[in-house]
Amino acid sequence: MQTKYWFVDNHVDMLVTYPQIKEAAQLLKKNEVVAFPTETVYGLGGNALSNEAAGKIFAAKGRPADNPLIVHIASEQQAADVAIHISATAQKLMQEFWPGPLTIILKKQPNRLSDLVTAGLDTVAVRVPDHPVALAVIREAGLPIAAPSANRSGKPSPTSAKHVQDDLDGRIAGIVDGGSTGVGVESTVVDCTGSIPVILRPGGITKEELEAVVGEVAVDAALTDAQKQPKSPGMKYTHYAPNAPLYLLQGSCEWIQSQISDQQQKGKKVGLLTTEDHLSFYEADVILPCGNSRDLKTVAHCLYDVLRAFNETDVDMIYSETFPTAGVGLAVMNRLEKAAGHRWIHEKMKE
Ligand code: AMP
Ligand code: MG
């Protein structure tokens, strides 16, 4: 399949009139799949009402069939089109955080969505993205659009059209290039089908921000205990993995440097994921800075780009610094843990 490629300036309003957007939306209406930017990462969109379109998303990504997709809509009003029993708490969250990186799990409207999209569950994941290109594509298509991240399953999510091209060129109908994405990690997934909202996946909106609006918010126990079964089917899969094995190092800069040197003496080429403000502490074969440790939003923004950039190098292993789990740090560490397959090396264990 020849993948079409459109460039769109994401700073211009009224994108609906753009011929590129019209063409992308036209393909979506024909149940083809098209990638477009959102404020979190690039999404691979398809008609959420169609088994044909949903099947193409799963096939292009190589995504396991039991991992449901997030349905993207253009406005809060459109939620009633795909979901029922929308609680007052869910409504408050929509009003406060939509458009934005918050996905809300609701009871699904029966007999409407493709069963592939919901993986046969009786719930649906919904959000309104905060990106002019995504909103224009969805509005113009006039459909709820299922859109998981536009990467091959297991790889880091794409934060630029180039990443999408690297993974999916020839496998999808088109890519709308609207520049690089902002938040850099995926949306927070919060289950609003019970009395207290439960975070199933940490992301762009923090627990602290949610609690400021609706009071108590719980966190799925599986996020802190690897032995527990996650409530969100997708959370059990390894994700975001670079080609070389990644290890999370918890300890001082001096100790991390000693670990790097030990491996180099054994003839290994070592890559290091650190932050701009720590660069001067280290010597390694490849050192890639990922934001600044004083502002974890900058780390979230670059994380997938840096993980992908290691694939362009010949390192045998990647060591990464770790981050505090307050605010967006929870999402950063969740993604890093998955990318590392939960491989930690602690300074104290070595003493
Ligand atoms: P992705 O589209 O790759 O960003 O992943 C979507 C995430 O939302 C995955 O972790 C899914 O398991 C989760 N998700 C989607 N629909 C549901 C649902 N109905 N219930 C629980 N989690 C869901
Ligand atoms: Mg994904």
Side-chain angles (χ1 to χ4, degrees):
M1 170 188 289
Q2 174 88 32
T3 301
K4 286 206 163 194
Y5 192 84
W6 304 278
F7 180 78
V8 172
D9 183 344
N10 62 12
H11 296 298
V12 178
D13 279 343
M14 304 301 293
L15 287 159
V16 160
T17 56
Y18 274 41
Q20 302 95 309
I21 299 284
K22 283 207 157 79
E23 211 179 324
Q26 215 51 47
L27 286 170
L28 287 170
K29 285 192 210 172
K30 288 184 189 154
N31 295 334
E32 293 296 343
V33 296
V34 170
F36 53 80
T38 78
E39 82 281 28
T40 58
V41 302
Y42 270 72
L44 179 60
N47 177 2
L49 308 181
S50 154
N51 280 331
E52 184 193 356
K56 287 179 184 170
I57 293 176
F58 281 93
K61 282 181 61 81
R63 183 173 172 111
D66 68 348
N67 189 1
L69 309 178
I70 295 172
V71 175
H72 290 65
I73 53 178
S75 69
E76 198 184 316
Q77 291 70 34
Q78 223 185 327
D81 213 23
V82 294
I84 52 172
H85 304 323
I86 303 174
S87 66
T89 306
Q91 273 171 22
K92 259 197 206 167
L93 290 175
M94 290 174 185
Q95 274 155 23
E96 185 68 27
F97 296 108
W98 283 2
L102 183 71
T103 295
I104 303 182
I105 307 289
L106 299 163
K107 280 267 178 259
K108 76 174 177 189
Q109 188 71 256
N111 309 319
R112 179 127 177 84
L113 295 156
S114 157
D115 272 339
L116 296 176
V117 167
T118 56
L121 300 173
D122 63 357
T123 52
V124 58
V126 197
R127 89 175 185 104
V128 177
D130 187 14
H131 194 291
V133 175
L135 289 172
V137 170
I138 299 165
R139 248 186 240 126
E140 184 67 19
L143 291 164
I145 299 294
S149 49
N151 53 292
R152 289 281 290 170
S153 226
K155 298 270 180 231
S157 299
T159 53
S160 72
K162 162 83 169 54
H163 296 160
V164 181
Q165 211 174 15
D166 289 346
D167 275 19
L168 298 176
D169 193 41
R171 305 180 70 90
I172 60 177
I175 302 171
V176 185
D177 182 348
S180 71
T181 59
V183 180
V185 290
E186 297 85 345
S187 59
T188 303
V189 177
V190 61
D191 183 349
C192 286
T193 59
S195 50
I196 296 172
V198 185
I199 295 177
L200 305 186
R201 175 177 77 178
I205 303 281
T206 65
K207 178 172 189 274
E208 294 85 343
E209 287 170 320
L210 295 174
E211 284 182 330
V213 176
V214 291
E216 189 187 352
V217 171
V219 176
D220 185 11
L223 290 180
T224 47
D225 181 349
Q227 308 304 317
K228 294 241 163 71
Q229 176 78 9
K231 292 214 182 71
S232 172
M235 294 298 282
K236 65 176 179 284
Y237 292 107
T238 305
H239 266 84
Y240 321 118
N243 296 339
L246 173 70
Y247 298 85
L248 306 181
L249 271 67
Q250 174 88 64
S252 64
C253 296
E254 294 75 20
W255 171 78
I256 292 175
Q257 182 59 53
S258 73
Q259 297 298 298
I260 296 169
S261 304
D262 284 357
Q263 292 300 330
Q264 286 178 320
Q265 268 161 28
K266 291 180 197 158
K268 301 278 188 210
K269 284 200 173 151
V270 184
L272 178 71
L273 186 157
T274 179
T275 49
E276 286 153 13
D277 48 315
H278 289 182
L279 275 177
S280 60
F281 293 122
Y282 297 112
E283 274 176 38
D285 295 281
V286 175
I287 302 182
L288 297 181
C290 185
N292 190 300
S293 70
R294 288 182 216 103
D295 179 4
L296 294 186
K297 280 192 175 160
T298 63
V299 178
H301 174 76
C302 325
L303 184 63
Y304 294 139
D305 196 33
V306 170
L307 288 175
R308 278 180 180 260
F310 278 113
N311 291 347
E312 313 287 316
T313 73
D314 63 349
V315 295
D316 299 306
M317 58 207 305
I318 306 162
Y319 280 171
S320 174
E321 290 191 319
T322 55
F323 302 95
T325 53
V328 78
L330 187 65
V332 168
M333 283 312 299
N334 171 262
R335 305 308 191 272
L336 266 177
E337 279 221 61
K338 281 169 160 288
H342 304 282
R343 278 180 296 244
W344 283 82
I345 308 177
H346 293 274
E347 182 171 12
K348 59 179 182 300
M349 279 167 47
K350 292 273 169 181
E351 280 167 359

